[in-house]
Amino acid sequence: MQQFASDNQAGLCPEAMAALAVSNATGHEPSYGDDRWTVELQARMRSLFETEACETFLVFNGTAANALALAALCRPFEATLCHAFSHIETDEAAAPEFFTGGAKLMVADTPGGKLTPAAVEGLARRYEGVHHVKARALSLTQSTELGTVYTLDEVRALTAVARAHGLKVHMDGARFANAVATLGCQPADLGWRAGVDVLSFGATKNGLAVGEAVVFFDPSLADAFAWRVKQTGQLASKMRFVAAPWCALIEGDVWLKNARHSNAMARRLAEKLAALQGVRIMHPVEANAVFAEIPVAAQAAVRAKGWRFYTFLGETGCRLMCAWDTTPETVDRFASDLATAAAR
Ligand SMILES: *Cc1c(COP(=O)(O)O)cnc(C)c1O
């Protein structure tokens, strides 16, 4: 049964599944990334991001992508500025702190999961001197943990503040695809052209089984990154099975098709929920997440019918995630079950 608990509860999209079979059919292939699909992926990323200054590394998951990217930026006494709801702060069991060897996360709790230039400025200026951590990086999540999307102007304004303070910019793009689909921009516009130095480019939630890309737009920052990947146990020996499905996502813009679909399902869900008595949409629905206040009793009633989703903010703030394969029928059935529950 389709659920709204997370976009990673969905399976592989058919294009990824087919690519897996194709990359298996040839029998033996070079390992550790020397296979043709990993080589092809490097070229595809350069062309997708319209630059030769683009180094791509594959790791197993988003936590590793973020933590290793930040480890490439920060020394142990430095700090990354991020949102209080950011995945690196709330959902990675201190992996960023661990892999940087101690670099601190400094958070701001601004509305809608979006940092503001003033908040970043404040964090960047907070400490000075040897007794404190030294601000070194800004990490932005796009789309955000609350289902909102930074506009291109907002990203540019934030990275300008970062630059002014000598900070490098990391983007947690576990749902980068959803943001690009919403903004209708080129991926490069939201990447290096907007001032991003390194991107954790997610694909798992977009329809792969496994494998996130760490994309460096400043190759000097990628120095010896391959060793970080290996040392942390993130180097897949049968890399082709990660790279081939990745190539299939990029080919023909399947990644955007998947993101557009999950975004559209979230909009459909939000429209239906907004019409219900006692239910309130909490944040603008700009990607594939719907945050809705649902009375506790109504939550219990739909859960009793088998629906699964997380209560994320307090007792009533629910997070409903749509995936690449969420059907309109699933959305409508949930909305109808909730309508019955909310009317009681
Ligand atoms: C899912 C997610 C990740 C990656 O999580 P893993 O479970 O480690 O793959 C990173 N950032 C955000 C914002 C996410 O939602």
Side-chain angles (χ1 to χ4, degrees):
M1 174 175 167
Q2 292 199 333
Q3 295 290 357
F4 294 98
S6 179
D7 32 358
N8 62 19
Q9 294 203 346
L12 283 77
C13 67
E15 294 86 350
M17 198 70 191
L20 204 54
V22 168
S23 60
N24 191 46
T26 55
H28 290 207
E29 291 287 344
S31 45
Y32 296 110
D34 292 331
D35 61 280
R36 66 185 99 155
W37 294 277
T38 307
V39 173
E40 180 188 328
L41 182 63
Q42 289 289 349
R44 281 191 181 275
M45 286 291 194
R46 291 192 166 117
S47 122
L48 185 69
F49 285 102
E50 306 171 59
T51 177
E52 286 302 303
C54 176
E55 296 285 336
T56 301
F57 299 84
L58 291 174
V59 295
F60 289 108
N61 55 42
T63 299
N66 288 340
L68 296 184
L70 293 177
L73 301 182
C74 295
R75 290 174 288 185
F77 48 85
E78 292 180 325
T80 294
L81 318 184
C82 61
H83 195 276
F85 279 120
S86 63
H87 199 271
I88 55 174
E89 163 73 3
T90 64
D91 283 294
E92 300 190 354
E97 291 89 334
F98 182 74
F99 287 117
T100 56
K104 199 177 168 82
L105 299 177
M106 292 175 64
V107 305
D109 191 1
T110 33
K114 289 161 81 169
L115 288 170
T116 60
V120 172
E121 182 85 38
L123 289 175
R125 284 183 189 278
R126 180 176 300 173
Y127 296 137
E128 210 176 291
V130 74
H131 300 284
H132 312 287
V133 283
K134 201 173 186 320
R136 165 65 176 170
L138 168 66
S139 180
L140 302 173
T141 309
Q142 178 75 317
S143 56
T144 74
E145 284 81 0
L146 295 183
T148 54
V149 168
Y150 290 100
T151 64
L152 287 178
D153 280 343
E154 285 171 336
V155 175
R156 290 184 198 120
L158 287 161
T159 62
V161 174
R163 286 280 171 276
H165 288 276
L167 310 180
K168 298 293 176 193
V169 179
H170 165 252
M171 183 171 274
D172 177 351
R175 301 188 182 90
F176 184 76
N178 300 86
V180 172
T182 293
L183 296 173
C185 63
Q186 293 304 314
D189 296 337
L190 198 47
W192 61 272
R193 274 197 208 112
V196 174
D197 296 303
V198 52
L199 168 70
S200 297
F201 190 175
T204 307
K205 287 167 179 155
N206 191 261
L208 293 195
V210 66
E212 312 281 280
V214 182
V215 183
F216 287 91
F217 301 118
D218 177 352
S220 73
L221 295 172
D223 179 46
F225 195 76
W227 278 266
R228 285 189 197 282
V229 172
K230 176 67 187 184
Q231 185 182 44
T232 54
Q234 291 288 324
L235 180 64
S237 62
K238 293 192 180 178
M239 186 81 93
R240 62 174 144 149
F241 297 126
V242 183
W246 245 110
C247 289
L249 269 195
I250 295 179
E251 189 174 359
D253 283 341
V254 172
W255 65 293
L256 278 178
K257 179 188 76 171
N258 288 350
R260 284 191 192 113
H261 176 82
S262 58
N263 288 357
M265 290 304 103
R267 284 197 303 274
R268 183 184 183 106
L269 181 61
E271 271 167 32
K272 301 214 167 226
L273 297 198
L276 302 183
Q277 193 77 37
V279 175
R280 187 180 70 89
I281 304 300
M282 302 172 73
H283 298 289
V285 177
E286 295 168 343
N288 62 330
V290 176
F291 281 82
E293 251 171 31
I294 303 176
V296 172
Q299 288 181 45
V302 285
R303 287 199 173 104
K305 283 204 152 187
W307 292 107
R308 296 291 171 261
F309 54 91
Y310 287 104
T311 309
F312 205 80
L313 308 166
E315 289 196 335
T316 54
C318 300
R319 186 191 79 161
L320 301 154
M321 298 301 311
C322 295
W324 66 268
D325 65 343
T326 300
T327 64
E329 292 71 31
T330 299
V331 170
D332 296 355
R333 211 155 35 77
F334 178 80
S336 151
D337 284 350
L338 185 58
T340 308
R344 271 204 290 244

